[in-house]
Amino acid sequence: MNDLITITDCKNCGQQIETYNFCPDCGAKKITKRITFKNLVIDFVDRFLNLDNSFIRTFIHLFTKPEEVIEGYIHGLRKRYINAFGYFAISVTITGFYGFLVKDRLKEIMKFGDFSEQQSVIQSSALDFTFQYQSAISFLLIPFLAIMSRLVFLNYKKFNLTEHFVIYLYSYSHIVGTMTLILLPLTFMTDNILNVMAVQFPVYVLYIAYVLKRLYKISLKSIILKTLLFLVIGSVFYIVFSILLVIIMVLTGAMDLSSFQPPPPS
């Protein structure tokens, strides 16, 4: 079988490229050979394991200098780092893979907890729904975080609501994706789901506070006060978000309330 492919037009933009190795219009590489497993491995290594590429740089700098990544994107920097939606997509992929691996284990952990039968059923239904619609839930959660953050920093004019959305596309995606990888082994080592949650939540809060402190360049005292206010507003949003989630689960049939009967009178 002939492994060579005759290419006259760019597959990305349609530009005539018969005499070029790279498209003069969009810069895409001209592919003249059939794809092989070796090509896939090389492409993966080049895109994700190359220390000079944007993924590794974005990942490291979101720890060391998140303000450079986030403000760079807001102000038009597009080549040095992965764009906000691209980074969010990577995080969703990681958490989706995590859900695939641990869903049954999390249900098993719940059986060891001090929960009633009805509580276990509700939690199991919520878990199934969360993993099934994980991408949509994550994307819907980011506007909530952006609104909360904008309310907390209402007296600051540095970032508008849309820019707060970008802040959380990066920061939420980064800490959730990172903690997912770290917590994967812990999920299989504990028999108490609260042990996993006890690690997750404080780390999320501390990292988001760290990012906002770097972005707004405020004092430690100020960020502590802002974080406390964020948690207060977040508690209200959490209740609202939980109610909406239950309503959606009932409407989609993921939870059947008719199966829950009140306990018989003593």
Side-chain angles (χ1 to χ4, degrees):
M1 182 181 292
N2 189 356
D3 290 335
L4 295 179
I5 302 174
T6 301
I7 300 293
T8 58
D9 297 326
C10 176
K11 298 299 183 182
N12 295 282
C13 66
Q15 175 73 24
Q16 203 281 329
I17 58 170
E18 187 173 5
T19 59
Y20 299 95
N21 291 323
F22 292 87
C23 175
D25 190 35
C26 69
K29 184 178 180 180
K30 179 181 178 181
I31 305 299
T32 58
K33 294 183 178 180
R34 297 178 66 90
I35 192 168
T36 65
F37 182 74
K38 180 180 178 181
N39 298 144
L40 290 177
V41 173
I42 292 174
D43 188 51
F44 174 81
V45 171
D46 182 61
R47 289 180 182 274
F48 295 102
L49 302 183
N50 183 351
L51 292 178
D52 292 329
N53 77 16
S54 58
F55 172 73
I56 299 296
R57 187 184 303 114
T58 305
F59 181 83
I60 293 174
H61 286 184
L62 278 171
F63 280 121
T64 59
K65 40 188 175 182
E67 70 281 6
E68 182 176 303
V69 179
I70 296 169
E71 288 189 283
Y73 181 85
I74 290 173
H75 296 144
L77 184 64
R78 295 291 187 269
K79 295 295 184 181
R80 186 178 302 170
Y81 301 110
I82 294 178
N83 71 70
F85 285 101
Y87 204 71
F88 173 79
I90 292 173
S91 175
V92 167
T93 301
I94 293 172
T95 54
F97 183 66
Y98 170 81
F100 173 77
L101 292 177
V102 306
K103 184 171 71 172
D104 292 337
R105 174 56 181 165
L106 289 177
K107 288 183 178 180
E108 181 182 344
I109 292 174
M110 288 177 186
K111 294 178 182 179
F112 290 97
D114 187 19
F115 304 118
S116 67
E117 182 178 350
Q118 289 188 356
Q119 286 176 323
S120 297
V121 171
I122 292 173
Q123 290 180 336
S124 180
S125 298
L127 191 66
D128 287 334
F129 183 86
T130 299
F131 283 129
Q132 183 177 357
Y133 298 101
Q134 193 169 48
S135 300
I137 292 172
S138 295
F139 191 75
L140 290 174
L141 185 59
I142 288 177
F144 276 92
L145 293 171
I147 294 170
M148 288 160 47
S149 185
R150 187 68 192 96
L151 291 173
V152 169
F153 287 90
L154 197 58
N155 57 328
Y156 290 78
K157 306 301 181 184
K158 186 174 183 179
F159 300 108
N160 61 32
L161 180 59
T162 303
E163 290 164 343
H164 275 269
F165 185 84
V166 172
I167 290 172
Y168 288 97
L169 276 175
Y170 273 119
S171 59
Y172 174 83
S173 301
H174 183 65
I175 194 60
V176 169
T178 301
M179 287 304 296
T180 294
L181 296 176
I182 294 174
L183 291 174
L184 180 59
L186 180 61
T187 306
F188 290 93
M189 294 167 58
T190 183
D191 286 334
N192 189 341
I193 189 64
L194 295 178
N195 291 340
V196 177
M197 296 174 62
V199 174
Q200 276 183 299
F201 186 71
V203 173
Y204 290 173
V205 173
L206 289 173
Y207 178 74
I208 296 298
Y210 162 73
V211 170
L212 293 171
K213 183 180 186 302
R214 297 287 294 248
L215 285 167
Y216 279 98
K217 298 178 174 60
I218 56 179
S219 66
L220 180 60
K221 178 182 177 181
S222 295
I223 195 59
I224 291 174
L225 293 174
K226 294 292 186 184
T227 300
L228 292 175
L229 179 57
F230 188 94
L231 291 174
V232 171
I233 297 175
S235 299
V236 176
F237 272 76
Y238 176 77
I239 294 172
V240 173
F241 191 79
S242 299
I243 293 173
L244 289 175
L245 184 61
V246 171
I247 292 173
I248 293 172
M249 290 175 64
V250 172
L251 292 177
T252 58
M255 180 183 294
D256 183 10
L257 293 181
S258 64
S259 61
F260 301 110
Q261 301 294 333
S266 56

